[in-house]
Amino acid sequence: MGFAGRDVLSILDFSREDLEELFSVADYMEKAVKEKRKLKLLEGYIVALAFLEPSTRTMYSFQSATHRLGGYALVFSSREATSLAKGENYADTIRMLDSYSDLIVIRSRYEGAAKYVADIAENPVINGGDGKHEHPTQTMIDLYTMKRLFGDIDGLTIGVLGDLKYARTIASLLYGLTRYKPKKVYLISPSILRIREEVRDTITRLGLPIEEVSSLRDIIGELDVLYVTRIQKERYPDPMEYERVKHAFKITPEVLKDARPELKILHPLPKIDEIDLRVDNLPYAAYFYQARLGVPLRMALLALVLGVWR
Amino acid sequence: MGFAGRDVLSILDFSREDLEELFSVADYMEKAVKEKRKLKLLEGYIVALAFLEPSTRTMYSFQSATHRLGGYALVFSSREATSLAKGENYADTIRMLDSYSDLIVIRSRYEGAAKYVADIAENPVINGGDGKHEHPTQTMIDLYTMKRLFGDIDGLTIGVLGDLKYARTIASLLYGLTRYKPKKVYLISPSILRIREEVRDTITRLGLPIEEVSSLRDIIGELDVLYVTRIQKERYPDPMEYERVKHAFKITPEVLKDARPELKILHPLPKIDEIDLRVDNLPYAAYFYQARLGVPLRMALLALVLGVWR
Amino acid sequence: MGFAGRDVLSILDFSREDLEELFSVADYMEKAVKEKRKLKLLEGYIVALAFLEPSTRTMYSFQSATHRLGGYALVFSSREATSLAKGENYADTIRMLDSYSDLIVIRSRYEGAAKYVADIAENPVINGGDGKHEHPTQTMIDLYTMKRLFGDIDGLTIGVLGDLKYARTIASLLYGLTRYKPKKVYLISPSILRIREEVRDTITRLGLPIEEVSSLRDIIGELDVLYVTRIQKERYPDPMEYERVKHAFKITPEVLKDARPELKILHPLPKIDEIDLRVDNLPYAAYFYQARLGVPLRMALLALVLGVWR
């Protein structure tokens, strides 16, 4: 379909061909930044960053991507939203941002917020994470990182570990993987944090070869990629149970002793203590590399959606 | 007189010729943005936005205008002001902003704040709203919108409705209308919110054909323009009286049934419930269009005041 | 050594030749800004301003300097830091900023914070003030101001007055003066705020001709430069003693009656009441001039460190 003028609400809206095009533009962007080439594709353009849920990492990454292309970011955070509110209806606020910019990136704690904004705004809207629903640009980064690390996503054995129920990055990632042909996708989680039924139904229907397991130990030796997310305390009514689970799912050098040498660990960040700090220095750790790729990937996405990439 | 290097403190400082020049530059700016032309008039320039009273809409509009011209906005909000304060006298703070930028836009809850800043700063100062005093750039947008909608302001019948006593947008608008020859200006308000005597004296002296009425019903059929402002609860000691007044002055499809088909409703925004949401979809509603014109109008003003428009 | 790619942690890392090169680039920058020349040296570059200790003045000055060169500032203040924290370790936060920008300016209330950041970041790091330790870019401005005012720093008689114990600007200034040959440096302070032993040892070893005195009166007639800093109330357990000292060290027109006509008063700003407001209008007052030089000096530093100045 091409990207120009499109909303980016769900990763499911994009085909494999779309993603491959995006990744090849991201390759170009990364190289251009490294060589300090002055990109002016977004000169005169304004990207509104409506981050109604506080998020530093995604926001700065989009801000950096916008600036690297010569464009300007108009930051509208939860603080401004509060002061603006004073009773104004959200539709009016969105119309305001829409008329002051060329594209809106929206982050919200509510599922469906991005769709709501896209229905009102005339300009394209990018979903920067809406509640537990989706986080499509994170998935684009995740898939791009796998591609850069292994050359191809087809054929990989991927473990996805942690809070599979509420983490929006997980739902989006699994949807995104349906565009490829991984050999196997292990879903590793404590029983109360297994993926939601609607997600399992969708990815099964789309033919993703998943298997749910409750322990990393048995399958660690098979993995090319281990994708880790945080298990949040508030999910557990019983703090003792939380401590037990947290311990059982923590990634340590010991846990990794049976890993294949090629294993790469990804994480959407920020991480707290779900990955032992000693792992940061092992060759398995690819999450800082993954984070770095966020800027060129988002540069590519902005340039494509705004139709300035020829 | 021309705009270059001038302070913009009151709309009364500007002649009809000034305003017409401004509007013709705004026409150019709007077209240039629509065509995605890269304007670089403010490349290397810095506009300090000193918004000591929280205001999202005016601030973002100036920020967007600055960026569209290739310039940079240095945002200094009430939060920074608080942290800076620590006992520093305001004159020093203003000198700081003045030496870091090329122009200061000042918004404050105090009447005369813009004049105070202009007396200290070497660079030009634009009043972004000072207490109940004035809001000249909003008036420029209001007049520009009328001009765009009707071709001319001369000969229009204009109704101004709501809190005519405390709304600075109203004082400025009435002053601005004295530069034109509207057929009639109806001032429609509850009795305790009639315009202040000094405003009435000034506009009468300048020959503006006003008439004060207490109900919209009798004159709605005559109006080309209906300019609405919010009636704030805190103006009414008696909450029952407030509810009664609010209801009587609310703009609904029913109220508009006797309106001329050409009627256009303006509002400085944000609006809360003084205009029924169903009105948003009627052809009368011109306030979103008016808001969109804020960016090209302020682009024109910045370019003229900074002397980069040839 | 040259500046390109270097961290700027302490003024002691820089030789006289380094400083002279910096000042000559600052001369160029000031002229270019004055003539409204469009500098594009930092086009496409991003400067991360990590201001974990609130500071308006230094932050805006760096922001302005970045923008004047065509670059973009990514502002990461204590508010973002708080929301980000959520348990993320600081090293990860620094890696994030490092991967989103080309250079980090760090301000913190902790001594050694800049060094800590520099050890983690791949890109250059500039110390924007760390606790009571150092504030090297302020010293660069201070020395540059003296040079501009007197042509040379060698041979000057300089008085440094106020809180010599805790003010980081003082420690850095004295270190910086060791790169020159002032005739004499008087250290003027109440007894409990004399310079710390490690600072005295360093500057004595480096041959700075200092003399500690407890009153300005006797030596005011000798001074070319009087550098004033604030005496903070919290340093004094006894409020009465604080009032007495504050009064004794306040700069008033009366205190200055024996000053040489050439005397120039400097102050890192913000000032509260340690300088009588009437002094602002005397020819002695050079602190507003000094503040204005902050932007071109920091422009020069950014351009040199980022290696874009040929």
Side-chain angles (χ1 to χ4, degrees):
Chain A
M1 279 184 58
F3 282 86
R6 253 175 109 175
D7 295 320
V8 179
L9 303 181
S10 165
I11 193 75
L12 285 169
D13 301 337
F14 296 87
S15 68
R16 179 170 182 145
E17 289 64 39
D18 290 334
L19 295 172
E20 293 296 318
E21 182 190 1
L22 177 68
F23 299 158
S24 93
V25 180
D27 284 346
Y28 171 89
M29 295 299 181
E30 200 213 5
K31 199 150 171 290
V33 170
K34 200 168 281 168
E35 294 169 1
K36 303 280 180 207
R37 260 186 272 152
K38 301 185 183 220
L39 300 168
K40 306 188 181 191
L41 292 170
L42 291 194
E43 221 171 42
Y45 282 79
I46 297 176
V47 173
L49 301 177
F51 276 65
L52 307 180
E53 179 186 50
S55 154
T56 336
R57 207 167 272 274
T58 304
M59 191 179 83
Y60 281 97
S61 168
F62 268 111
Q63 220 175 316
S64 186
T66 303
H67 290 340
R68 290 287 192 208
L69 291 167
Y72 302 81
L74 205 59
V75 177
F76 182 82
S77 73
S78 50
R79 269 167 287 129
E80 280 81 23
T82 311
S83 89
L84 187 76
K86 287 186 201 163
E88 186 183 53
N89 70 79
Y90 282 117
D92 280 12
T93 306
I94 294 161
R95 280 186 198 104
M96 172 191 75
L97 288 176
D98 190 40
S99 67
Y100 294 172
S101 65
D102 301 294
L103 180 151
I104 298 176
V105 181
I106 169 79
R107 163 89 153 218
S108 165
R109 63 181 79 245
Y110 301 109
E111 286 83 49
K115 175 84 172 61
Y116 177 77
V117 172
D119 285 345
I120 294 165
E122 292 179 16
N123 291 322
V125 170
I126 294 178
N127 183 359
D130 60 333
K132 63 178 192 296
H133 182 232
E134 277 222 42
H135 195 349
T137 66
Q138 179 65 49
T139 298
M140 290 166 174
I141 295 164
D142 300 340
L143 297 174
Y144 181 49
T145 306
M146 292 184 203
K147 187 135 208 245
R148 290 286 297 260
L149 289 169
F150 294 95
D152 202 350
I153 297 169
D154 292 351
L156 293 180
T157 300
I158 299 165
V160 176
L161 175 143
D163 178 352
L164 308 188
K165 186 166 184 179
Y166 299 104
R168 57 189 164 209
T169 51
I170 295 296
S172 278
L173 175 59
L174 294 172
Y175 294 152
L177 283 172
T178 66
R179 273 40 185 149
Y180 290 87
K181 301 199 173 310
K183 186 173 165 200
K184 183 93 173 194
V185 178
Y186 286 107
L187 305 177
I188 313 152
S189 74
S191 58
I192 73 163
L193 293 177
R194 290 165 63 182
I195 50 164
R196 300 192 303 278
E197 217 163 304
E198 85 261 20
V199 179
R200 190 193 296 109
D201 289 353
T202 303
I203 60 178
T204 306
R205 183 169 45 78
L206 291 168
L208 194 70
I210 58 170
E211 181 176 339
E212 297 189 68
V213 297
S214 60
S215 161
L216 175 59
R217 187 171 309 264
D218 304 334
I219 50 111
I220 180 79
E222 292 180 45
L223 301 180
D224 297 301
V225 172
L226 174 60
Y227 193 98
V228 181
T229 61
R230 197 181 339 149
I231 295 179
Q232 289 173 301
K233 198 169 184 170
E234 52 268 37
R235 306 298 181 206
Y236 283 84
D238 179 351
M240 297 261 287
E241 175 67 6
Y242 167 69
E243 288 301 326
R244 197 191 61 76
V245 165
K246 197 178 76 168
H247 186 76
F249 284 80
K250 181 163 185 167
I251 309 301
T252 61
E254 293 72 37
V255 168
L256 296 169
K257 70 178 192 310
D258 296 327
R260 305 180 55 214
E262 296 82 0
L263 174 74
K264 293 297 175 193
I265 302 173
L266 303 190
H267 190 297
L269 300 186
K271 59 185 172 64
I272 311 295
D273 54 7
E274 59 274 25
I275 299 180
D276 190 304
L277 284 180
R278 290 170 298 162
V279 175
D280 287 2
N281 301 314
L282 299 181
Y284 303 126
Y287 30 83
F288 296 132
Y289 176 71
Q290 175 190 13
R292 281 185 179 268
L293 291 180
V295 175
L297 188 289
R298 287 182 170 124
M299 290 170 72
L301 186 63
L302 291 171
L304 284 165
V305 169
L306 284 167
V308 297
W309 179 262
R310 302 121 310 192
Chain B
M1 280 184 58
F3 282 86
R6 251 173 111 178
D7 295 320
V8 179
L9 304 181
S10 164
I11 193 75
L12 285 170
D13 300 337
F14 296 88
S15 68
R16 180 171 181 143
E17 289 64 40
D18 290 333
L19 295 171
E20 293 296 318
E21 182 190 2
L22 177 68
F23 299 158
S24 92
V25 180
D27 284 346
Y28 171 90
M29 295 298 181
E30 199 213 5
K31 201 151 170 289
V33 169
K34 200 167 282 168
E35 294 169 1
K36 303 279 181 208
R37 260 185 273 153
K38 301 184 183 222
L39 299 168
K40 306 188 181 192
L41 292 170
L42 290 194
E43 222 171 40
Y45 281 79
I46 297 176
V47 173
L49 301 177
F51 275 65
L52 306 180
E53 179 186 50
S55 153
T56 336
R57 208 166 271 274
T58 305
M59 191 179 83
Y60 282 97
S61 168
F62 268 112
Q63 219 174 315
S64 185
T66 303
H67 290 342
R68 290 287 191 209
L69 290 167
Y72 302 81
L74 205 59
V75 176
F76 182 83
S77 73
S78 50
R79 270 167 287 130
E80 280 82 23
T82 311
S83 88
L84 186 76
K86 287 186 201 164
E88 187 183 53
N89 69 79
Y90 282 117
D92 281 11
T93 306
I94 294 160
R95 280 186 198 106
M96 172 190 75
L97 288 175
D98 190 40
S99 67
Y100 294 172
S101 65
D102 301 294
L103 180 150
I104 298 176
V105 181
I106 169 81
R107 163 89 152 220
S108 164
R109 64 182 77 246
Y110 301 109
E111 286 83 48
K115 175 83 171 62
Y116 177 77
V117 172
D119 285 345
I120 293 165
E122 292 180 16
N123 291 322
V125 170
I126 294 178
N127 183 359
D130 61 332
K132 64 176 192 295
H133 182 232
E134 279 222 40
H135 195 348
T137 66
Q138 178 65 49
T139 297
M140 291 167 174
I141 295 164
D142 300 341
L143 297 173
Y144 181 49
T145 306
M146 294 183 202
K147 187 133 209 236
R148 290 286 297 261
L149 290 168
F150 295 95
D152 201 351
I153 297 168
D154 292 350
L156 294 180
T157 300
I158 300 165
V160 176
L161 175 142
D163 178 352
L164 309 188
K165 187 165 183 181
Y166 300 105
R168 57 188 163 209
T169 51
I170 295 296
S172 278
L173 174 59
L174 294 172
Y175 293 151
L177 284 171
T178 66
R179 273 40 185 150
Y180 291 86
K181 299 198 174 311
K183 186 174 165 197
K184 183 92 171 195
V185 178
Y186 287 108
L187 306 177
I188 314 150
S189 74
S191 58
I192 74 163
L193 294 177
R194 289 166 63 183
I195 50 164
R196 298 192 303 278
E197 217 164 303
E198 86 261 21
V199 179
R200 190 193 295 109
D201 288 353
T202 302
I203 61 179
T204 306
R205 184 168 44 78
L206 292 168
L208 195 69
I210 59 168
E211 181 176 339
E212 297 188 68
V213 298
S214 59
S215 162
L216 176 59
R217 188 170 309 263
D218 305 334
I219 51 110
I220 180 78
E222 292 180 46
L223 300 181
D224 298 300
V225 172
L226 176 60
Y227 193 98
V228 182
T229 61
R230 198 182 336 151
I231 295 179
Q232 289 173 300
K233 199 169 185 171
E234 52 268 39
R235 306 297 181 207
Y236 282 85
D238 179 352
M240 298 261 288
E241 174 67 6
Y242 167 70
E243 289 301 327
R244 197 191 62 75
V245 165
K246 197 177 76 168
H247 185 75
F249 284 81
K250 180 163 186 166
I251 309 301
T252 62
E254 294 70 37
V255 167
L256 295 169
K257 70 177 194 311
D258 297 326
R260 307 180 53 214
E262 297 83 0
L263 174 73
K264 293 296 175 193
I265 302 174
L266 303 190
H267 190 298
L269 301 185
K271 59 185 173 61
I272 312 294
D273 54 8
E274 59 274 25
I275 299 181
D276 190 303
L277 284 181
R278 291 170 297 163
V279 175
D280 288 1
N281 302 313
L282 300 180
Y284 304 127
Y287 30 84
F288 297 132
Y289 175 71
Q290 176 190 12
R292 282 185 179 268
L293 292 180
V295 175
L297 188 289
R298 286 182 171 123
M299 289 170 72
L301 186 63
L302 290 172
L304 284 165
V305 169
L306 284 167
V308 296
W309 179 264
R310 303 119 311 191
Chain C
M1 278 185 60
F3 281 86
R6 252 174 111 176
D7 296 320
V8 179
L9 304 182
S10 165
I11 193 74
L12 286 170
D13 300 338
F14 296 87
S15 68
R16 180 170 182 146
E17 288 65 37
D18 290 334
L19 295 171
E20 292 297 316
E21 182 190 3
L22 176 68
F23 299 158
S24 93
V25 180
D27 284 345
Y28 172 90
M29 295 298 181
E30 200 214 4
K31 200 150 171 288
V33 170
K34 200 167 282 167
E35 293 168 2
K36 303 278 181 208
R37 260 185 273 153
K38 301 185 183 221
L39 299 169
K40 306 188 180 190
L41 292 170
L42 291 194
E43 221 172 41
Y45 282 79
I46 298 176
V47 173
L49 302 177
F51 275 65
L52 306 180
E53 178 186 52
S55 154
T56 335
R57 209 167 269 274
T58 305
M59 192 179 82
Y60 281 96
S61 169
F62 268 111
Q63 220 175 315
S64 186
T66 303
H67 289 342
R68 290 287 192 209
L69 290 167
Y72 302 82
L74 204 60
V75 176
F76 182 83
S77 74
S78 49
R79 271 168 285 129
E80 281 82 22
T82 311
S83 89
L84 186 77
K86 289 186 200 163
E88 187 182 54
N89 70 78
Y90 281 117
D92 281 11
T93 306
I94 294 162
R95 280 186 198 105
M96 173 190 75
L97 288 176
D98 190 40
S99 67
Y100 294 172
S101 66
D102 300 295
L103 180 151
I104 299 176
V105 181
I106 169 80
R107 163 88 152 218
S108 164
R109 65 181 77 245
Y110 301 109
E111 286 84 48
K115 175 81 172 62
Y116 176 78
V117 172
D119 285 345
I120 294 167
E122 292 180 16
N123 291 322
V125 170
I126 294 178
N127 183 359
D130 61 333
K132 64 177 192 296
H133 181 231
E134 278 222 42
H135 195 349
T137 66
Q138 179 64 50
T139 297
M140 290 167 175
I141 296 164
D142 300 341
L143 297 173
Y144 181 48
T145 307
M146 293 183 203
K147 189 136 205 244
R148 290 287 296 261
L149 290 169
F150 294 95
D152 201 350
I153 298 169
D154 293 349
L156 293 180
T157 300
I158 299 165
V160 177
L161 175 142
D163 178 352
L164 309 189
K165 187 166 184 179
Y166 299 105
R168 57 189 163 208
T169 51
I170 295 297
S172 278
L173 175 58
L174 294 173
Y175 294 151
L177 283 172
T178 65
R179 274 38 185 150
Y180 291 86
K181 299 195 175 312
K183 186 173 164 197
K184 182 92 172 195
V185 178
Y186 286 108
L187 306 177
I188 313 150
S189 75
S191 58
I192 74 162
L193 294 176
R194 290 166 63 182
I195 49 165
R196 298 192 303 278
E197 217 164 303
E198 86 260 20
V199 178
R200 191 193 296 109
D201 287 354
T202 303
I203 60 178
T204 306
R205 184 168 44 78
L206 292 167
L208 195 70
I210 59 169
E211 180 175 339
E212 296 189 68
V213 298
S214 59
S215 161
L216 176 60
R217 189 170 308 265
D218 304 334
I219 50 110
I220 180 78
E222 293 180 45
L223 300 180
D224 297 300
V225 172
L226 175 59
Y227 193 98
V228 181
T229 60
R230 198 181 337 149
I231 294 178
Q232 289 173 300
K233 198 169 185 171
E234 53 268 38
R235 305 299 181 207
Y236 282 84
D238 179 352
M240 297 262 287
E241 174 67 6
Y242 167 70
E243 289 301 326
R244 197 191 61 76
V245 165
K246 197 178 76 168
H247 186 76
F249 284 81
K250 181 163 184 166
I251 309 301
T252 62
E254 293 71 37
V255 167
L256 295 169
K257 71 178 193 310
D258 297 327
R260 305 180 54 212
E262 296 84 359
L263 174 74
K264 293 296 175 193
I265 302 173
L266 303 189
H267 190 299
L269 301 183
K271 59 184 172 65
I272 312 295
D273 55 7
E274 59 273 26
I275 298 180
D276 190 304
L277 284 179
R278 292 170 296 162
V279 175
D280 287 2
N281 302 314
L282 299 182
Y284 304 127
Y287 31 84
F288 297 132
Y289 175 70
Q290 176 189 11
R292 281 186 178 268
L293 292 180
V295 175
L297 188 288
R298 286 180 170 125
M299 290 170 72
L301 186 63
L302 290 171
L304 284 166
V305 169
L306 283 166
V308 296
W309 179 263
R310 301 121 310 195

